[in-house]
């Protein structure tokens, strides 16, 4: 029996059909822009999101960091949310590689209040740093896959445009956000200056992300990608998985959302505290404080039944559904947790 792995949607393995597409992909040297499969993926991504151009990058982190490098000058500030992936999990790369300083706004829901953004931008004085970029995240990983409210996002984008500050979207899971909100993905990202989305999460590809923006932005980002060590050669073999993912695995994300919702509801009945409530996409957090269960111990027990979960500490677990977890796996997980609690 294969494991049921609920730690992250990054754990998906390429299907036989995806592997077939990879094995038969035409390839060329991408540093010469001669890989037909990469070119196709970049065009497809740009078209789907409504941008002029795209750039295939090895990871979401590189996509975000190349975007920051491309938008900013050393010595500037980047405004972003205090629990965002770029701030928490990207090893201060914006400071190390781009020479910019994060200016974080801590929130309870991942949503940047426009007033606070305004207050975070310094008056135009030679002795105060300029704001080079604002970065948002949708869906928000550390907020349990919450979707950025559409109207608030539009308000922020309009404000940023009025003061001429570019806005980047960490859209690692933007297709999940689109499905959950019912807003077509190109409308959801309209008004951003750049968007990074991941192929290697819920879309099920083994590796890769795409950065999209204007032609001018992508030309600059191409330099950034090379500098960051992301210039690839016959990488059409992996880009093919991305093309396959975009053509086959977007619509089914709704199943992951349904599975997450069902699992979260069952855990709630068992006494776990769930965030967000209700679950919005394929991620949620379950807290064990009220039922007095040690999350790490629970993880150890479940592992013996072939169920892998990701406790963050003794009381908090992040659950993530994806295309390698089906309805039956959710039933098996619910039963296993229930029997642990009642034993
Ligand atoms: N997220 C991973 C971990 O790094 C936490 C996960 O398991 O969820 N933006 C967002 C919103 C992400 O969640 C991630 C990865 C990234 C960027 C970075 O992508 P990669 O791992 O491809 O560098």
């Amino acid at each position: 029996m294969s494991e049921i792995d609920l730690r992250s949607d990054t754990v998906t393995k390429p299907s036989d059909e995806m592997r077939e597409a990879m094995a038969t992909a035409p390839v060329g040297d991408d540093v010469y822009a001669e890989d037909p499969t990469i070119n196709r993926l970049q065009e497809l991504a740009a078209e789907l999101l409504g941008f002029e151009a795209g750039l295939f990058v090895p990871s979401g982190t590189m996509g975000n960091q190349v975007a920051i490098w491309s938008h900013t000058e050393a010595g500037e500030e980047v405004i972003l949310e205090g629990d965002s992936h770029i701030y928490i999990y990207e090893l201060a790369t914006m400071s190390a590689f781009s020479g910019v300083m994060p200016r974080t706004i801590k929130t309870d829901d991942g949503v940047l209040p426009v007033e606070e953004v305004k207050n975070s931008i310094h008056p135009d004085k030679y002795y105060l740093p300029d704001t080079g970029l604002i970065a948002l995240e949708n869906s928000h990983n550390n907020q349990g896959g919450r979707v950025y409210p559409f109207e608030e996002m539009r308000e922020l984008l309009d404000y940023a445009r009025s003061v001429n500050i570019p806005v980047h979207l960490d859209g690692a899971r933007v297709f999940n956000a689109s499905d959950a909100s019912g807003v077509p993905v190109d409308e959801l990202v309209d008004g951003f200056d750049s968007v990074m989305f991941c192929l290697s999460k819920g879309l099920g590809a083994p590796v890769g992300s795409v950065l999209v923006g204007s032609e001018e932005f992508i030309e600059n980002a191409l330099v950034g990608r090379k500098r960051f060590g992301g210039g690839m050669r016959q990488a059409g073999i992996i880009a093919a998985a991305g093309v396959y993912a975009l053509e086959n695995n977007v619509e089914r994300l709704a199943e992951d959302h349904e599975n997450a919702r069902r699992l979260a509801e069952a855990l709630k009945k068992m006494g776990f505290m769930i965030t967000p409530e209700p679950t919005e996409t394929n991620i949620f957090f379950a807290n064990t404080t009220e039922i007095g269960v040690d999350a790490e111990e629970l993880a150890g027990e479940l592992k013996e039944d072939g169920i892998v979960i990701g406790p963050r500490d003794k009381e908090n677990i992040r659950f993530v559904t994806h295309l390698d977890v089906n309805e039956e796996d959710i039933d098996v997980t619910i039963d296993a947790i229930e029997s642990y609690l009642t034993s």
Side-chain angles (χ1 to χ4, degrees), residues 5-14 18 58-61 85 89 141 172-173 176 196 198-209 253 256 282-283 318-325:
D5 193 338
L6 293 156
R7 286 172 302 169
S8 180
D9 47 10
T10 57
V11 301
T12 57
K13 309 231 166 73
M18 185 179 272
S59 70
T61 301
H85 191 279
Y89 300 111
N141 185 352
R173 299 184 178 84
N176 295 83
M196 180 286 292
C198 292
L199 299 158
S200 61
K201 307 221 156 45
L203 298 182
V207 60
S209 295
L253 290 172
D256 299 340
N282 67 325
I283 305 177
R318 182 180 75 149
F319 285 91
V320 189
T321 57
H322 50 75
L323 86 173
D324 286 353
V325 171

Side-chain angles (χ1 to χ4, degrees), residues 28-84:
D29 191 331
D30 183 52
V31 172
Y32 298 108
E34 285 172 5
D35 188 301
T37 309
I38 292 184
N39 292 340
R40 186 165 158 229
L41 172 64
Q42 293 175 163
E43 279 159 27
L44 180 62
E47 192 188 312
L48 274 174
L49 274 76
F51 282 81
E52 284 174 7
L55 187 68
F56 184 45
V57 286
S59 70
T61 301
M62 190 184 286
N64 283 332
Q65 295 302 326
V66 165
I68 293 171
W69 180 86
S70 304
H71 283 300
T72 60
E73 300 287 339
E76 291 182 335
E77 290 186 342
V78 175
I79 296 177
L80 75 175
E81 204 272 329
D83 259 336
S84 58

Side-chain angles (χ1 to χ4, degrees), residues 170-284:
D170 176 349
R173 299 184 178 84
V174 74
F175 287 96
N176 295 83
S178 166
D179 177 86
S181 60
V183 179
V185 73
D186 55 342
E187 274 177 47
L188 201 58
V189 299
D190 184 34
F192 283 93
D193 295 273
S194 56
V195 181
M196 180 286 292
F197 72 90
C198 292
L199 299 158
S200 61
K201 307 221 156 45
L203 298 182
V207 60
S209 295
V210 185
L211 182 60
V212 296
S214 67
E215 258 161 30
E216 195 188 342
F217 169 80
I218 293 296
E219 246 175 60
N220 195 19
L222 186 63
V223 178
R225 185 185 69 175
K226 192 79 176 94
R227 279 218 168 136
F228 282 58
M232 297 176 282
R233 303 292 176 175
Q234 287 72 17
I237 207 157
I238 51 174
V243 173
Y244 182 91
L246 287 175
E247 288 175 347
N248 296 279
N249 292 343
V250 173
E251 275 171 26
R252 60 151 309 286
L253 290 172
E255 290 170 37
D256 299 340
H257 300 172
E258 180 51 34
N259 283 336
R261 194 161 29 244
R262 206 157 61 78
L263 179 56
E265 275 165 15
L267 293 183
K268 190 183 169 204
K269 281 197 192 123
M270 294 178 213
F272 289 83
M273 284 185 293
I274 305 297
T275 323
E277 245 253 86
T279 299
E280 294 184 28
T281 58
N282 67 325
I283 305 177
F284 67 88

